[in-house]
Amino acid sequence: MKTQYLTTSDEDLKIAAEIIKSGGLVAFPTETVYGLGGNALSAFASKAIYEAKGRPSDNPLIVHISCTEEVDDIAMRFPDNARKLAEALWPGPMTLVLPKFDVVPDATTGGLDTVAIRCPLNETARKLIKYAGVPIAAPSANTSGRPSPTKWEHVKHDLDGKIDAIIMGEPCIGGIESTVIDMTEELPMILRPGLITPEIVTKILGLPCDYDPAIKEGPSDSEGKLVPRAPGMKYKHYAPKAQMNLYSGSFENVKKAINEEAEKLKQEGANVVTIIYEDAETAARNLFADLRNADDGGADIILASALPSGESLNYSVMNRMLKSAGYNVIEV
């Protein structure tokens, strides 16, 4: 398959929309990461997404819409509290899990009776959905398990020749995937942490909001039995090719330990990459790109600084860093 490379012009977005409508796959920018899009109402397209990514088919896909009104076409119920969140935070990096209509095939939802819905902030993404005239199912546009793509060049590296088209949009400003919130029960539950934190949800709804217990745990024998209700809950994610170690402790101690270990390994002939972040916003924006750059440079090992606990955005980024490192944490 020859992959087309398209611009963000209206003319090219209409070409991309025709590809979506005909059952093809198009990678497109969002404010979080690049998505790999197909017709969310087509089981054929959703299966093609799983195949292109090499992704297990029980991992649900997020359905992207161009405006809040489109929720009513695919969700059986849109509770008042879910509407309040949508009114406050859409377009934006938030995904709501709601009961689905049968028009959304099981192939899109990983066999679940719920659908994960998001209205992206990125204007190119919303235009593409509008031109396509159908909701677009889109996980991150990368090979499953690899660091998520935040530039179109990352998508090219992973999926060139495997999908119909790539839209060459701007780099993603958020850098980590959307917050996924289960709104099927009375209280909101975060299934995947992201830029929208529990505190933001609580402020809007006046209700307590917590993380699903499954995302607070590390890898375990029970993980294989977990039925993922949102992307990123079950399988290995975000991993670079190189071994990655996370250093945890005070910033000065971590920085010292990383620099000393890096110098030692370099003297032994290793290709070492160090990643040190002083704040969560910078880490969120740059983590996946930094991991891919390390791979491109042939790194043997990546030594990275963990973020301090306490703030919810730190927790969201650490969720990705821990999985990237395979939970290899060194306390200093």
Side-chain angles (χ1 to χ4, degrees):
M1 177 186 295
K2 182 175 176 59
T3 299
Q4 295 185 64
Y5 287 84
L6 304 172
T7 71
T8 59
S9 69
D10 284 355
E11 181 180 358
D12 275 9
L13 291 181
K14 288 176 181 177
I15 292 172
E18 288 300 321
I19 292 172
I20 295 288
K21 285 193 281 188
S22 66
L25 303 183
V26 176
F28 62 96
T30 78
E31 75 279 15
T32 56
V33 300
Y34 268 72
L36 175 57
N39 182 353
L41 306 184
S42 165
F44 172 83
S46 292
K47 290 175 182 176
I49 291 172
Y50 290 123
E51 183 177 349
K53 283 178 60 69
R55 176 180 178 139
S57 60
D58 66 341
N59 212 8
L61 304 176
I62 290 176
V63 176
H64 293 65
I65 57 177
S66 66
C67 62
T68 303
E69 288 73 21
E70 293 172 7
V71 171
D72 294 319
D73 296 329
I74 54 180
M76 188 180 301
R77 294 197 310 277
F78 195 8
D80 288 343
N81 284 333
R83 287 184 185 274
K84 287 180 182 177
L85 289 178
E87 289 169 0
L89 299 173
W90 276 354
M94 175 187 69
T95 296
L96 299 177
V97 175
L98 301 169
K100 77 177 182 76
F101 278 128
D102 289 341
V103 67
V104 185
D106 288 347
T108 298
T109 64
L112 301 177
D113 59 3
T114 55
V115 58
I117 307 172
R118 161 164 132 77
C119 181
L121 178 64
N122 183 282
E123 184 179 2
T124 295
R126 294 201 311 280
K127 278 187 177 181
L128 174 64
I129 300 163
K130 185 175 181 180
Y131 289 149
V134 293
I136 293 180
S140 54
N142 59 317
T143 301
S144 187
R146 297 275 290 122
S148 296
T150 55
K151 299 179 179 181
W152 69 265
E153 292 91 345
H154 299 161
V155 184
K156 179 180 180 180
H157 182 276
D158 283 14
L159 299 179
D160 182 61
K162 297 180 181 179
I163 63 176
D164 297 282
I166 297 171
I167 296 173
M168 299 180 293
E170 62 277 10
C172 304
I173 58 175
I176 61 173
E177 301 85 352
S178 64
T179 302
V180 178
I181 308 174
D182 185 351
M183 295 301 296
T184 60
E185 303 293 340
E186 182 178 354
L187 296 179
M189 176 76 71
I190 291 180
L191 304 181
R192 182 178 70 185
L195 300 175
I196 304 301
T197 63
E199 291 83 0
I200 293 173
V201 175
T202 294
K203 184 176 181 181
I204 294 168
L205 298 182
L207 294 171
C209 177
D210 200 358
Y211 299 106
D212 186 293
I215 64 174
K216 294 182 178 180
E217 301 171 358
S220 68
D221 292 338
S222 64
E223 188 175 67
K225 302 174 184 177
L226 174 67
V227 177
R229 293 183 290 148
M233 290 188 75
K234 182 175 180 181
Y235 300 100
K236 185 178 180 183
H237 272 65
Y238 322 120
K241 296 175 183 177
Q243 177 186 335
M244 179 174 170
N245 294 337
L246 275 178
Y247 285 73
S248 178
S250 71
F251 181 75
E252 290 305 320
N253 286 347
V254 164
K255 187 175 180 180
K256 181 174 182 290
I258 287 177
N259 289 335
E260 288 177 352
E261 181 66 10
E263 185 61 31
K264 174 186 172 184
L265 291 171
K266 287 176 182 177
Q267 290 178 2
E268 295 172 357
N271 184 345
V272 183
V273 170
T274 61
I275 298 176
I276 299 174
Y277 300 121
E278 296 192 35
D279 62 87
E281 290 81 4
T282 301
R285 186 168 57 252
N286 296 325
L287 173 62
F288 292 141
D290 286 344
L291 295 181
R292 284 180 171 269
N293 288 339
D295 280 348
D296 291 344
D300 298 310
I301 187 167
I302 299 169
L303 308 179
S305 60
L307 296 173
S309 59
E311 296 184 16
S312 292
L313 184 55
N314 289 30
Y315 181 87
S316 297
V317 179
M318 280 300 297
N319 171 264
R320 274 65 171 187
M321 295 187 80
L322 285 166
K323 290 185 178 185
S324 298
Y327 292 86
N328 295 319
V329 181
I330 299 169
E331 301 286 344
V332 295

